[in-house]
Amino acid sequence: MSNTTFEEIGRVLREHQQFVVLGHVRPDGDALGSQLALGLSLQKLGKNVRVWNEEGMLEKYSFLPRAELLTKPPATAEHVDVAIALDTAIQNRLGTTLAAVGSAKIWINIDHHVTNPGYGDLVIIDPSAPATGEIIFRLIKSQGLPFDHDIAENLFAAISTDTGSFQYPKTSARTFEIAAGLVREGDLDVGKISQQLYENYPRRRLELLRELLRTMRFSECGRIATFGLSLKTAAELGVIPEDNEGLIDHLRALHGVIVAVFFEELSDGKVRVSMRSKDERVDVCAICQKFGGGGHTLAAGARVRGTLAEVEEKVLEETREAVKRACVS
Ligand code: 5GP
Ligand code: MN
């Protein structure tokens, strides 16, 4: 499926009235910020817009401007003219929001995951973009769609979180130019937004990190670092899913570590695997695809059936092989 143009998407946005904007399960700042930004722009254009995510708005992102616009999907399906999936590599990662769309005349798919197969009628997949928020900014600007402070702040949060505060390799001159545009035109207070994003965690998140570090293991001479969370520990600590976003970065940040893996036991008999790589030669997306997952070369995930120990063993075996191959090449 080849990409359509911003012009074609701009035309469809202008010509229709009823919209729904969706994002992936276990949402991150890029999904939620991009959803709100596009939803707000469409609303300002005079459209009827719903913005749904399976989990609704997360507590930690509830400071985002107009966060109340983003809700859980309704129990009974609704009909829209246009359904837009953002930041969602594969359609079933829309979770319960998918069934809540009874029908849509047109499906639009905008994403930056290289594994996205291009589902939908109008598709823009740009794997060079470090965040879906960057693509939404270019769409809004190129098509002269409404833009204001609230939209800018949502897009800044999307881009800041998905680039690891402008650090990950896909962060480009274009990313900084877009960020500068957001700050200038949206009159953003970067210090305030960053404090809300990165210095506002509940204490239980650090208590979770303490428990995760107790389970920390290394293999392949310190090139692979892992930790895991059982349902039992999660219940004892009273943590919620959003608490663990980003904790894997503590493993990745270590000298000598090439691959970091986080294993999280889920209540449906599966284990959520989250992987990070610091070396393009170790493609963690390829490893996750072997287990039915996907993502990016340096950040990927999968949900694998089995116990924590079983999944750890299977995934570690593949990871060791990939690291060995990279280290001899
Ligand atoms: P995280 O480790 O932060 O949950 O996810 C890292 C990246 O991998 C994200 O871009 C996310 O979309 C992708 N990803 C995570 N879990 C899955 C999964 O189960 N399936 C697919 N296809 N992608 C995933
Ligand atoms: Mn993203």
Side-chain angles (χ1 to χ4, degrees), residues 11-205:
R11 193 178 61 75
V12 167
L13 299 185
R14 284 178 207 286
E15 284 179 359
H16 294 82
Q17 190 55 36
Q18 308 281 345
F19 291 85
V20 65
V21 184
L22 312 174
H24 61 81
V25 295
R26 292 294 284 261
D28 53 16
D30 189 27
L32 297 174
S34 295
Q35 283 185 261
L36 277 174
L38 185 57
L40 288 170
S41 184
L42 287 169
Q43 215 178 42
K44 263 194 128 171
L45 197 60
K47 308 298 178 180
N48 186 317
V49 190
R50 292 94 145 164
V51 183
W52 296 336
N53 193 287
E54 176 170 303
E55 284 178 50
M57 180 47 73
L58 301 186
E59 192 182 307
K60 68 176 171 181
Y61 289 120
S62 56
F63 74 89
L64 288 171
R66 304 287 315 279
E68 76 288 349
L69 183 62
L70 190 145
T71 63
K72 288 185 180 178
T76 45
E78 293 184 14
H79 301 275
V80 293
D81 296 327
V82 183
I84 308 173
L86 299 183
D87 198 39
T88 305
I90 184 161
Q91 203 173 22
N92 70 14
R93 277 180 56 80
L94 292 171
T96 54
T97 66
L98 191 55
V101 182
S103 67
K105 291 177 200 155
I106 301 176
W107 271 92
I108 297 178
N109 170 5
I110 300 176
D111 188 23
H112 65 135
H113 291 92
V114 69
T115 53
N116 192 311
Y119 59 89
D121 306 303
L122 295 175
V123 178
I124 291 193
I125 313 292
D126 180 0
S128 78
T132 297
E134 205 180 287
I135 310 173
I136 300 300
F137 178 84
R138 282 154 48 210
L139 171 66
I140 287 175
K141 282 296 167 184
S142 70
Q143 298 312 300
L145 298 172
F147 181 78
D148 62 16
H149 165 87
D150 290 354
I151 293 167
E153 188 158 321
N154 277 294
L155 288 177
F156 188 91
I159 297 170
S160 174
T161 52
D162 240 27
T163 56
S165 310
F166 303 92
Q167 291 181 50
Y168 299 154
K170 281 185 189 167
T171 307
S172 66
R174 183 177 71 187
T175 315
F176 284 105
E177 279 155 11
I178 289 173
L182 292 171
V183 173
R184 190 181 302 116
E185 292 178 48
D187 193 22
L188 301 185
D189 182 339
V190 175
K192 184 164 160 241
I193 299 169
S194 300
Q195 217 167 57
Q196 285 166 318
L197 283 172
Y198 307 116
E199 297 177 346
N200 202 25
Y201 294 120
R203 190 185 297 178
R204 61 171 192 267
R205 185 174 186 268

